[in-house]
Amino acid sequence: MDAEKVHEAVADGWDEDLMSSLSGLVAIPALSAAYDAGWERDGHLRAAADHVRDWITSRGLPGAQCEVVQLDGRAPLLVAEIPATDGGAAGGTVLLYGHLDKQPPLGDWSDGLDPWRPVLRGDRLYGRGSVDDGYSGYAAVSALAAVRAAGGDHARAIVLLETGEESGSPDLPAYLEHLSGRLGEVSLVVCLDGGGGDYERLWLTTSLRGVVQATLTVRVLETAAHSGIASGIVPSSFRVMRRLLDRVEDSETGEVTIPEMNVPIPPDRRAEAEALAALEPGVSARRFPLVGGMRPVSDDDVELILNNTWRPTLSVIGAAGLPDPAVAGAVLRASTSLRLSFRTPPTVDAGAARDALVRILTTDVPYGAQAEVHDFMLLDGWQAPASALWLTAALDEIGDQVFDAPCRGFGLGGGIPFMEMLSRRYPGAQFVVTGALGADSNMHVPDEWLNIPFAKQVTEAVAHILDAHARH
């Protein structure tokens, strides 16, 4: 395959037509179902899938078939099938994955920016879903087209874009079962929902943490009471909540103390963290806009990386029962609810972790208060298999020809449900989890943006991987 022609084809692919369609996708408020109870009535998820389907169809890839599949009551799924080139027919199936659903706006965006209005500023496309993960389908199809334009080969390819990833992919098992005969024997998975620490190289995700989310509700009264009359007699629900949280997290260190959420750190992953820390000392802390005088939880870069990739953490991401301070009356409230989000190490069993959490928080509750743990979202983590020789060689080539810097592997603190599902279904497949996300891409928070030149390079890298896979 002609590397220069790949570069030219990718550059041509990311033309005004692609950017126009991607901008149109940003403008669709396709909130994931977990954040939009009326998602089916509103139709935004289906509109997003239809929008990208129309663009893929317009590419004219020989023999390509593209459709939106929607099982009853489930968020839609976009599936595009592109036949193998003549030289790639023996390569099994390549599955290229991304998602079209989005996080909520989550806060005030900067002047001139809006979650549902695409804004192009220099090399950046702003808007919710631009980098997480709207660009992925465009990059996947453009990579396939570039392989063909440069005289390369690719195996039979399935581009699969779901609309439930931000909700934990609850419908994906049903779709994988529904499509099992169509998917065939998957030998390579390319996931474009990842990224890395900079825009200088291709970053490969070697592990993903799991998730155990739940709402903990503590009730102390049938109805609220005057705080002056009740305090000292009735314990506050917030104090009971604090004592329960102390059972699962050391508030001094942040250590999650639930045994079922802790695992030994593999030596090779520790070595990977040490190499990453040496690449750019102090970068873990500098990635975030800490307030003046604030410091991270450790001064050791390696420990920060391991905290974020192979140790469990707890974040309180929501609350109910607490009025705004401006209107808070002198009331001892009847209950407090907190949304707890545990990020668990890649090899933790999410079901076992959930059971332990419920047992710890609902047994011998202080003062006999009512404690309920409910509204769970569970996600097992994932660890990449060892790279085959052909993939290692392809990555070395990409480091030389596309980025002029060697590829790097690292653990990601977030999760991608699809990877764990696929690794169980296709244990012999190779996995490439990468993407255009940068540490400053603002995914999930205001001012999300896509680095367009980097997205082009990622697209080019995927083209090389597809060709190397076919040749192997």
Side-chain angles (χ1 to χ4, degrees), residues 193-390:
D193 193 22
D198 59 36
Y199 302 109
E200 305 302 321
R201 71 198 76 238
L202 188 71
W203 291 89
L204 301 172
T205 300
T206 56
S207 65
L208 297 159
R209 285 196 294 181
V211 175
V212 176
Q213 279 191 18
T215 298
L216 171 60
T217 297
V218 174
R219 295 183 181 88
V220 297
L221 290 168
E222 296 293 339
T223 59
H226 189 297
S227 60
I229 302 299
S231 60
I233 300 173
V234 180
S236 94
S237 59
F238 193 84
R239 181 160 68 89
V240 176
M241 178 73 75
R242 285 163 55 195
R243 290 185 59 183
L244 291 178
L245 292 182
D246 282 342
R247 296 180 176 183
V248 298
E249 180 195 43
D250 185 325
S251 60
E252 181 70 24
T253 65
E255 177 187 359
V256 173
T257 56
I258 302 172
E260 291 82 353
M261 290 189 183
N262 285 273
V263 298
I265 299 173
D268 57 338
R269 298 310 182 206
R270 181 176 287 277
E272 185 179 84
E274 291 170 350
L276 185 60
L279 181 65
E280 190 175 354
V283 69
S284 294
R286 291 199 302 272
R287 285 165 46 191
F288 304 101
L290 301 178
V291 297
M294 178 73 181
R295 61 183 184 276
V297 299
S298 173
D299 294 327
D300 187 322
D301 287 343
V302 174
E303 293 306 303
L304 290 178
I305 292 169
L306 293 174
N307 285 348
N308 186 242
T309 56
W310 277 90
R311 294 187 180 118
T313 56
L314 169 60
S315 300
V316 177
I317 61 174
L322 295 164
D324 187 277
V327 296
V331 174
L332 196 151
R333 295 171 297 100
S335 67
T336 299
S337 293
L338 296 180
R339 184 67 174 169
L340 310 180
S341 180
F342 291 90
R343 294 286 178 170
T344 56
T347 55
V348 160
D349 183 317
R354 171 202 57 203
D355 294 344
L357 179 68
V358 173
R359 182 181 68 251
I360 292 169
L361 294 179
T362 60
T363 302
D364 296 328
V365 179
Y367 303 104
Q370 294 180 2
E372 180 187 4
V373 188
H374 52 107
D375 295 337
F376 287 98
M377 185 176 83
L378 303 181
L379 166 63
D380 285 322
W382 171 82
Q383 182 171 200
S387 294
L389 292 178
W390 70 264

Side-chain angles (χ1 to χ4, degrees), residues 21-284:
S21 183
L22 177 54
S23 296
L25 179 62
V26 168
I28 300 172
L31 288 180
S32 199
Y35 307 102
D36 180 11
W39 66 267
E40 195 163 13
R41 179 192 66 247
D42 296 339
H44 298 312
L45 292 176
R46 180 60 189 244
D50 288 344
H51 178 86
V52 179
R53 177 203 58 200
D54 292 345
W55 181 84
I56 293 175
T57 301
S58 73
R59 297 303 88 193
L61 287 171
Q65 298 179 355
C66 189
E67 66 173 315
V68 177
V69 181
Q70 186 160 12
L71 301 178
D72 288 345
R74 299 187 184 278
L77 184 80
L78 175 58
V79 183
E81 180 178 347
I82 297 90
T85 61
D86 290 342
T93 297
V94 177
L95 190 57
L96 298 110
Y97 167 84
H99 68 89
L100 302 174
D101 57 316
K102 307 176 185 183
Q103 286 277 324
L106 296 175
D108 296 326
W109 289 50
S110 298
D111 289 345
L113 300 180
D114 182 272
W116 314 128
R117 183 170 61 85
V119 175
L120 187 62
R121 291 182 178 175
D123 290 331
R124 298 183 176 191
L125 176 64
Y126 287 90
R128 178 62 83 224
S130 57
V131 69
D132 187 19
D133 189 31
Y135 85 96
S136 59
Y138 296 92
V141 172
S142 296
L144 289 163
V147 169
R148 290 171 173 263
D153 286 302
H154 65 74
R156 174 178 177 265
I158 298 286
V159 179
L160 191 152
L161 305 175
E162 68 160 314
T163 62
E165 193 274 343
E166 301 292 4
S167 300
S169 299
D171 299 330
L172 206 48
Y175 279 116
L176 288 178
E177 188 62 32
H178 178 72
L179 297 169
S180 59
R182 182 172 172 181
L183 293 180
E185 188 58 37
V186 176
S187 55
L188 172 63
V189 176
V190 179
C191 170
L192 290 170
D193 193 22
D198 59 36
Y199 302 109
E200 305 302 321
R201 71 198 76 238
L202 188 71
W203 291 89
L204 301 172
T205 300
T206 56
S207 65
L208 297 159
R209 285 196 294 181
V211 175
V212 176
Q213 279 191 18
T215 298
L216 171 60
T217 297
V218 174
R219 295 183 181 88
V220 297
L221 290 168
E222 296 293 339
T223 59
H226 189 297
S227 60
I229 302 299
S231 60
I233 300 173
V234 180
S236 94
S237 59
F238 193 84
R239 181 160 68 89
V240 176
M241 178 73 75
R242 285 163 55 195
R243 290 185 59 183
L244 291 178
L245 292 182
D246 282 342
R247 296 180 176 183
V248 298
E249 180 195 43
D250 185 325
S251 60
E252 181 70 24
T253 65
E255 177 187 359
V256 173
T257 56
I258 302 172
E260 291 82 353
M261 290 189 183
N262 285 273
V263 298
I265 299 173
D268 57 338
R269 298 310 182 206
R270 181 176 287 277
E272 185 179 84
E274 291 170 350
L276 185 60
L279 181 65
E280 190 175 354
V283 69
S284 294

